[in-house]
Amino acid sequence: MGQRHLGSVLTLVAVALAGNPIPLSISSPSNASEPIRESFVSFSIEFSSFPDFAGNSSTPNNFSYNLLTNLGAIQGSNPIIRVGGNTQDYATYDANQEEALVGTVNVNRSRDYPTTISIGPSYFDSYNTWPGFQYLHGFNLGKNGSAGYDTLVGTVPLVCKVLTSDKLAFFTLGNEPDLFKTSAQGPVRPAGWDESDYVAEYLNKTRTMRQIVERDCPAVIEQGKFRFYSPSFAGTSNSLNIIKTFSSGLDTDQEIAFIDSHNYIGGATQPGVTLQHTLMNHTSTVLSVNKHLNETTLLRDTGLPYLLGETNSLYKLTKPSDSQGAPALSNSFGAALWGVDFNLYCAATGIARVHMHQGTNYRYASWQPMSTPNETIGTKAPYYGNIAVASFLGDLTSGNTSVANIDLDSIYNAAYAAYVNDRLERIALIQMQAYNYTESRSNDERPSEAFSFTLPSDYGVKEVSVQRLMANGSNAITGITYDGVSYNYELDEGLPVPQDNATTGEILKVSEEGVVEVEVPWSSAAVLQLKWD
């Protein structure tokens, strides 16, 4: 999590409409990140939902593919897809089962996903539907006894054969084992199970996996691809401690590629959770991510990058009636703005990659991959936040891109600067003051925030282009665009379609004094691209 010194680049002054100018010197941003890794915008897909999102060889899900390749075209490499989540630790394997997945939903345990799951050989055909993508397959660690062992040894050959070297990113073993003793779905380890017990079990099973891969897919070993996202813990304050797992020898075999932790801002039904207080709140985001930065500091000696292998807005709490995300919160435009702030703060602070979690019927999902009795197929508001993040970061394969947080000392405003090969190229502004358009009067003017930037006159920037992330308000769930473009399913199955009624091609002039001003409406975001002479 080292910092980079980028030299004298720019001085910024942010001006709020109702406040005094705030000088922000970034002429030598010691807080800038290391270069951002490729595929920073990535996804995690719930194990039981993966066949819905991907389809199979005969009926591939082209809608999902279009949305994912849109992001790949912008950031220079496709998102990496982690297949896992709670249901990976419920799944057992039946070699004679014709169906890809047979799941039973027990409403007394969870109404969002099946908690009794059997997969057959055809499940793995879903890995054949999206050319040009890399995957992490999540293996079941939660199931003990012969069923768990038989599932592991039965599925490892299928996974390594279908995920040939060009498709395989890495593996994961177990989802959030730090909750195995306390899971609301039922404890699967005894109360005394500690970090040493977990590490012993993890090493025993990964060594078994290695033997199978050496036998059936030796190329995976030869190419150095037998590696893991680990330990996939749920958070920073549960019954197992990530620091202790490493001190107990988790990486004894040196097969961990990334330290993997998970993060959610809060519980969907926690008291006091609101769009403004919980999501559209820069301070809330900073506090949530900073918990992980404490871990990265203590884990620095491992030399391993630290990422979020599963994250999103509001997680499911303990009651069976609770849900993955909250209606009118997790699926709103306000959640899209939260996603931009969250991802860019992660990038600025050195989180190596962010996998946004998805699931069929999940309220926080970026898209619904198919129509069900509960949800209609379509692009959701958070997807537009994914597009904005990718656009701000740009093509990560074409140069070294670093990100710096511009501290505005504000709950409702956030700003970031992107440098490509040590030169400032883009500025992101996120305005998170909630604007509920359904409660405003028709003659009310939407408030906005004004920002003024002073650029050194000798840097040759005369114009700045603006790309806006816009909707009618923070509570909107439709009618969203980024740079005047819609990615809605009903227009062209998720491919970009410019909208005649949306502003695009906006150019701001830089004054002779090097000043450029921009207004950002409440509940919107803007990406400023410097046009160098």
Side-chain angles (χ1 to χ4, degrees):
M1 311 300 288
Q3 305 297 326
R4 306 181 69 238
H5 185 87
L6 300 181
S8 179
V9 179
L10 172 73
T11 297
L12 285 140
V13 176
V15 182
L17 284 177
N20 297 318
I22 306 171
L24 298 170
S25 175
I26 60 168
S27 58
S28 181
S30 60
N31 65 326
S33 70
E34 293 286 341
I36 305 299
R37 294 173 183 269
E38 295 180 14
S39 302
F40 180 85
V41 178
S42 286
F43 291 97
S44 166
I45 298 177
E46 187 66 50
F47 192 94
S48 61
S49 299
F50 182 54
D52 297 340
F53 275 78
N56 54 45
S57 294
S58 59
T59 55
N61 193 314
N62 293 323
F63 173 46
S64 293
Y65 181 72
N66 289 342
L67 294 178
L68 290 167
T69 53
N70 291 338
L71 292 162
I74 295 169
Q75 66 177 357
S77 56
N78 285 324
I80 294 173
I81 308 299
R82 174 243 188 185
V83 178
N86 282 346
T87 54
Q88 82 181 65
D89 282 319
Y90 303 147
T92 57
Y93 176 63
D94 182 350
N96 298 314
Q97 179 177 302
E98 295 184 2
E99 298 88 351
L101 184 146
V102 176
T104 301
V105 175
N106 182 343
V107 295
N108 293 320
R109 298 180 72 189
S110 174
R111 66 188 180 98
D112 264 350
Y113 47 68
T115 52
T116 301
I117 298 171
S118 175
I119 59 173
S122 61
Y123 177 92
F124 304 92
D125 183 44
S126 292
Y127 284 119
N128 293 318
T129 63
W130 296 339
F133 281 80
Q134 289 188 317
Y135 302 88
L136 299 100
H137 180 85
F139 290 94
N140 188 334
L141 178 69
K143 184 73 69 174
N144 264 332
S146 59
Y149 178 80
D150 291 346
T151 291
L152 186 66
V153 300
T155 56
V156 168
L158 299 176
V159 172
C160 72
K161 288 176 182 178
V162 72
L163 294 183
T164 52
S165 59
D166 59 329
K167 292 182 182 180
L168 177 63
F170 302 108
F171 303 108
T172 63
L173 176 63
N175 177 74
E176 301 178 355
D178 53 330
L179 298 181
F180 278 2
K181 295 185 288 184
T182 59
S183 172
Q185 313 305 328
V188 293
R189 292 297 184 277
W193 194 66
D194 62 14
E195 288 84 0
S196 296
D197 296 323
Y198 162 66
V199 168
E201 184 175 341
Y202 174 89
L203 291 174
N204 179 55
K205 291 183 176 178
T206 55
R207 288 165 180 169
T208 298
M209 293 172 64
R210 184 181 180 89
Q211 291 173 355
I212 296 170
V213 172
E214 285 178 331
R215 181 194 70 199
D216 292 342
C217 310
V220 171
I221 305 294
E222 294 164 4
Q223 294 167 4
K225 299 300 289 287
F226 185 78
R227 302 185 73 192
F228 291 82
Y229 275 24
S230 292
S232 298
F233 279 5
T236 58
S237 59
N238 293 307
S239 65
L240 298 182
N241 180 278
I242 194 170
I243 311 299
K244 290 182 179 179
T245 63
F246 277 88
S247 63
S248 297
L250 185 67
D251 198 26
T252 294
D253 295 338
Q254 296 188 325
E255 290 172 347
I256 295 177
F258 289 88
I259 299 172
D260 175 18
S261 189
H262 298 174
N263 189 87
Y264 289 83
I265 293 295
T269 55
Q270 280 179 329
V273 168
T274 66
L275 192 58
Q276 182 73 91
H277 173 74
T278 311
L279 297 182
M280 295 177 63
N281 184 318
H282 181 64
T283 301
S284 172
T285 292
V286 167
L287 291 173
S288 184
V289 175
N290 281 357
K291 291 184 297 185
H292 295 276
L293 303 185
N294 295 334
E295 289 185 341
T296 64
T297 300
L298 294 171
L299 291 166
R300 187 172 293 159
D301 289 344
T302 67
L304 296 170
Y306 184 108
L307 55 68
L308 300 182
E310 176 185 324
T311 186
N312 216 300
S313 56
L314 302 173
Y315 63 86
K316 180 184 185 297
L317 281 172
T318 56
K319 293 184 292 186
S321 59
D322 291 334
S323 60
Q324 299 286 357
L329 298 181
S330 302
N331 62 339
S332 72
F333 184 60
L337 296 173
W338 163 81
V340 178
D341 188 27
F342 178 82
N343 276 267
L344 295 188
Y345 189 74
C346 285
T349 53
I351 300 295
R353 185 174 293 135
V354 176
H355 291 257
M356 301 300 289
H357 196 49
Q358 314 295 308
T360 306
N361 300 327
Y362 285 14
R363 291 96 189 138
Y364 53 58
S366 292
W367 70 98
Q368 170 70 9
M370 60 188 294
S371 290
T372 70
N374 298 321
E375 193 82 21
T376 302
I377 186 173
T379 310
K380 295 187 174 185
Y383 179 76
Y384 289 85
N386 305 146
I387 288 286
V389 171
S391 297
F392 172 74
L393 296 176
D395 184 349
L396 297 171
T397 67
S398 65
N400 290 327
T401 299
S402 298
V403 176
N405 173 44
I406 304 170
D407 186 3
L408 300 180
D409 192 25
S410 171
I411 295 176
Y412 304 122
N413 295 319
Y416 300 89
Y419 306 85
V420 180
N421 296 330
D422 291 352
R423 188 176 79 170
L424 180 72
E425 294 290 345
R426 289 176 289 277
I427 301 166
L429 297 166
I430 307 110
Q431 210 302 314
M432 291 176 285
Q433 181 72 50
Y435 177 72
N436 188 322
Y437 76 97
T438 55
E439 294 181 358
S440 65
R441 294 173 296 185
S442 59
N443 59 345
D444 285 347
E445 184 175 350
R446 185 171 178 171
S448 63
E449 201 87 10
F451 300 87
S452 177
F453 301 88
T454 301
L455 287 70
S457 58
D458 58 349
Y459 272 72
V461 177
K462 303 301 182 186
E463 293 182 338
V464 175
S465 65
V466 183
Q467 297 176 319
R468 295 187 183 273
L469 178 61
M470 290 295 297
N472 285 338
S474 54
N475 59 324
I477 58 174
T478 59
I480 302 160
T481 59
Y482 179 76
D483 195 28
V485 172
S486 172
Y487 297 88
N488 281 1
Y489 170 78
E490 58 269 20
L491 296 180
D492 195 7
E493 282 196 284
L495 293 173
V497 178
Q499 300 298 288
D500 294 336
N501 61 346
T503 300
T504 187
E506 183 179 354
I507 300 293
L508 302 174
K509 297 294 184 180
V510 180
S511 73
E512 292 182 0
E513 295 77 22
V515 176
V516 62
E517 296 184 355
V518 60
E519 288 201 6
V520 182
W522 280 13
S523 298
S524 73
V527 173
L528 279 59
Q529 174 74 54
L530 277 63
K531 300 171 74 68
W532 292 89
D533 289 345

Short mmCIF file of all heavy atoms in Angstrom, two decimals, residues 4 33 62 105 124 132 141 153 166 175 183 185 191 209 276-277 297 337 388 419 422 428 514:
data_model
loop_
_atom_site.label_atom_id
_atom_site.label_comp_id
_atom_site.label_asym_id
_atom_site.label_seq_id
_atom_site.Cartn_x
_atom_site.Cartn_y
_atom_site.Cartn_z
N ARG A 4 2.92 7.23 -3.71
CA ARG A 4 3.76 7.70 -4.80
C ARG A 4 3.83 9.22 -4.76
O ARG A 4 2.84 9.89 -4.48
CB ARG A 4 3.20 7.24 -6.15
CG ARG A 4 2.98 5.73 -6.21
CD ARG A 4 2.46 5.31 -7.56
NE ARG A 4 3.50 5.47 -8.58
CZ ARG A 4 3.36 6.23 -9.65
NH1 ARG A 4 2.27 6.93 -9.84
NH2 ARG A 4 4.32 6.31 -10.54
N SER A 33 -2.23 6.93 -5.09
CA SER A 33 -2.09 5.48 -5.01
C SER A 33 -0.96 4.98 -5.88
O SER A 33 -0.44 5.69 -6.75
CB SER A 33 -3.39 4.81 -5.46
OG SER A 33 -3.58 4.98 -6.86
N ASN A 62 -26.68 -13.08 -23.38
CA ASN A 62 -26.02 -12.03 -24.13
C ASN A 62 -26.18 -10.66 -23.46
O ASN A 62 -25.33 -9.78 -23.63
CB ASN A 62 -26.57 -11.98 -25.55
CG ASN A 62 -26.19 -13.21 -26.36
OD1 ASN A 62 -25.09 -13.74 -26.21
ND2 ASN A 62 -27.09 -13.69 -27.19
N VAL A 105 -35.38 -23.36 -1.72
CA VAL A 105 -35.45 -22.17 -0.88
C VAL A 105 -36.24 -22.50 0.37
O VAL A 105 -37.40 -22.92 0.29
CB VAL A 105 -36.09 -20.99 -1.63
CG1 VAL A 105 -36.26 -19.79 -0.69
CG2 VAL A 105 -35.25 -20.61 -2.84
N PHE A 124 -21.02 -26.38 -14.96
CA PHE A 124 -19.74 -25.81 -15.38
C PHE A 124 -19.76 -25.36 -16.83
O PHE A 124 -18.85 -24.66 -17.28
CB PHE A 124 -18.63 -26.81 -15.10
CG PHE A 124 -18.60 -27.23 -13.66
CD1 PHE A 124 -19.29 -28.35 -13.23
CD2 PHE A 124 -17.92 -26.46 -12.71
CE1 PHE A 124 -19.30 -28.72 -11.89
CE2 PHE A 124 -17.93 -26.83 -11.38
CZ PHE A 124 -18.63 -27.95 -10.96
N GLY A 132 -13.35 -14.37 -23.60
CA GLY A 132 -12.50 -13.26 -23.21
C GLY A 132 -12.57 -12.89 -21.74
O GLY A 132 -12.04 -11.84 -21.35
N LEU A 141 -16.13 -25.01 1.33
CA LEU A 141 -15.34 -25.32 2.53
C LEU A 141 -16.25 -25.60 3.71
O LEU A 141 -15.88 -26.32 4.64
CB LEU A 141 -14.40 -24.16 2.88
CG LEU A 141 -13.55 -24.31 4.14
CD1 LEU A 141 -12.50 -25.41 3.95
CD2 LEU A 141 -12.87 -22.99 4.50
N VAL A 153 -13.43 -33.17 -4.32
CA VAL A 153 -12.63 -33.97 -5.26
C VAL A 153 -13.39 -34.22 -6.56
O VAL A 153 -12.77 -34.46 -7.60
CB VAL A 153 -12.19 -35.32 -4.62
CG1 VAL A 153 -11.34 -35.06 -3.38
CG2 VAL A 153 -13.38 -36.20 -4.28
N ASP A 166 -6.41 -19.57 -20.14
CA ASP A 166 -6.85 -18.23 -20.54
C ASP A 166 -8.12 -17.81 -19.82
O ASP A 166 -8.45 -16.62 -19.78
CB ASP A 166 -7.08 -18.17 -22.06
CG ASP A 166 -8.12 -19.16 -22.54
OD1 ASP A 166 -8.24 -20.24 -21.93
OD2 ASP A 166 -8.82 -18.86 -23.53
N ASN A 175 -16.41 -19.41 1.63
CA ASN A 175 -16.91 -18.04 1.66
C ASN A 175 -17.14 -17.61 3.10
O ASN A 175 -17.93 -18.21 3.82
CB ASN A 175 -18.22 -17.93 0.89
CG ASN A 175 -18.80 -16.52 0.96
OD1 ASN A 175 -18.31 -15.60 0.30
ND2 ASN A 175 -19.85 -16.34 1.76
N SER A 183 -23.07 -18.40 11.77
CA SER A 183 -23.94 -18.12 10.63
C SER A 183 -25.41 -18.25 10.99
O SER A 183 -25.83 -19.18 11.67
CB SER A 183 -23.62 -19.08 9.48
OG SER A 183 -24.57 -18.96 8.45
N GLN A 185 -27.57 -19.06 8.97
CA GLN A 185 -28.08 -20.23 8.26
C GLN A 185 -27.82 -21.53 9.03
O GLN A 185 -28.24 -22.60 8.62
CB GLN A 185 -27.43 -20.32 6.87
CG GLN A 185 -27.40 -19.02 6.09
CD GLN A 185 -28.77 -18.41 5.94
OE1 GLN A 185 -29.76 -19.12 5.86
NE2 GLN A 185 -28.84 -17.09 5.90
N ALA A 191 -17.82 -24.06 18.46
CA ALA A 191 -17.51 -22.76 19.07
C ALA A 191 -16.02 -22.55 19.29
O ALA A 191 -15.52 -21.42 19.27
CB ALA A 191 -18.26 -22.61 20.38
N MET A 209 -6.49 -30.37 -3.34
CA MET A 209 -6.83 -29.77 -4.63
C MET A 209 -5.62 -29.75 -5.56
O MET A 209 -5.73 -30.06 -6.76
CB MET A 209 -7.36 -28.35 -4.43
CG MET A 209 -8.70 -28.27 -3.71
SD MET A 209 -9.15 -26.58 -3.31
CE MET A 209 -9.32 -25.86 -4.96
N GLN A 276 -29.52 8.78 2.53
CA GLN A 276 -28.64 9.90 2.82
C GLN A 276 -27.63 9.59 3.92
O GLN A 276 -26.44 9.85 3.78
CB GLN A 276 -29.46 11.13 3.21
CG GLN A 276 -28.63 12.39 3.48
CD GLN A 276 -28.09 13.00 2.20
OE1 GLN A 276 -28.74 13.85 1.61
NE2 GLN A 276 -26.90 12.59 1.78
N HIS A 277 -28.09 9.00 4.99
CA HIS A 277 -27.22 8.78 6.15
C HIS A 277 -26.21 7.67 5.91
O HIS A 277 -25.06 7.75 6.37
CB HIS A 277 -28.06 8.45 7.38
CG HIS A 277 -27.26 8.06 8.58
ND1 HIS A 277 -26.54 8.97 9.33
CD2 HIS A 277 -27.04 6.84 9.15
CE1 HIS A 277 -25.93 8.33 10.31
NE2 HIS A 277 -26.21 7.04 10.23
N THR A 297 -2.12 -2.43 6.59
CA THR A 297 -0.88 -2.00 7.25
C THR A 297 -0.23 -3.15 7.99
O THR A 297 0.98 -3.38 7.90
CB THR A 297 -1.18 -0.84 8.21
OG1 THR A 297 -1.72 0.26 7.47
CG2 THR A 297 0.08 -0.39 8.93
N LEU A 337 -24.42 6.57 -7.02
CA LEU A 337 -23.47 7.61 -6.59
C LEU A 337 -22.58 7.08 -5.47
O LEU A 337 -21.37 7.35 -5.44
CB LEU A 337 -24.23 8.85 -6.14
CG LEU A 337 -25.05 9.56 -7.23
CD1 LEU A 337 -25.89 10.67 -6.61
CD2 LEU A 337 -24.15 10.10 -8.32
N ALA A 388 -19.34 4.86 -14.68
CA ALA A 388 -18.66 6.11 -14.31
C ALA A 388 -17.28 5.84 -13.71
O ALA A 388 -16.31 6.55 -14.01
CB ALA A 388 -19.53 6.90 -13.33
N TYR A 419 -4.24 10.41 -12.44
CA TYR A 419 -3.01 10.75 -13.14
C TYR A 419 -2.64 9.59 -14.04
O TYR A 419 -2.68 8.44 -13.62
CB TYR A 419 -1.87 11.00 -12.16
CG TYR A 419 -2.19 12.02 -11.11
CD1 TYR A 419 -2.87 11.66 -9.94
CD2 TYR A 419 -1.85 13.35 -11.30
CE1 TYR A 419 -3.19 12.60 -8.99
CE2 TYR A 419 -2.17 14.30 -10.34
CZ TYR A 419 -2.84 13.93 -9.19
OH TYR A 419 -3.16 14.86 -8.26
N ASP A 422 1.90 9.95 -14.49
CA ASP A 422 2.28 11.08 -13.63
C ASP A 422 1.76 12.44 -14.11
O ASP A 422 2.23 13.47 -13.63
CB ASP A 422 3.80 11.16 -13.47
CG ASP A 422 4.34 10.01 -12.64
OD1 ASP A 422 3.53 9.25 -12.08
OD2 ASP A 422 5.57 9.86 -12.55
N ALA A 428 -12.87 13.64 -10.80
CA ALA A 428 -14.24 13.16 -10.54
C ALA A 428 -14.85 13.94 -9.39
O ALA A 428 -14.19 14.16 -8.36
CB ALA A 428 -14.24 11.67 -10.21
N GLY A 514 -6.26 30.59 -15.57
CA GLY A 514 -6.19 29.16 -15.29
C GLY A 514 -7.34 28.63 -14.47
O GLY A 514 -7.23 27.56 -13.86
#
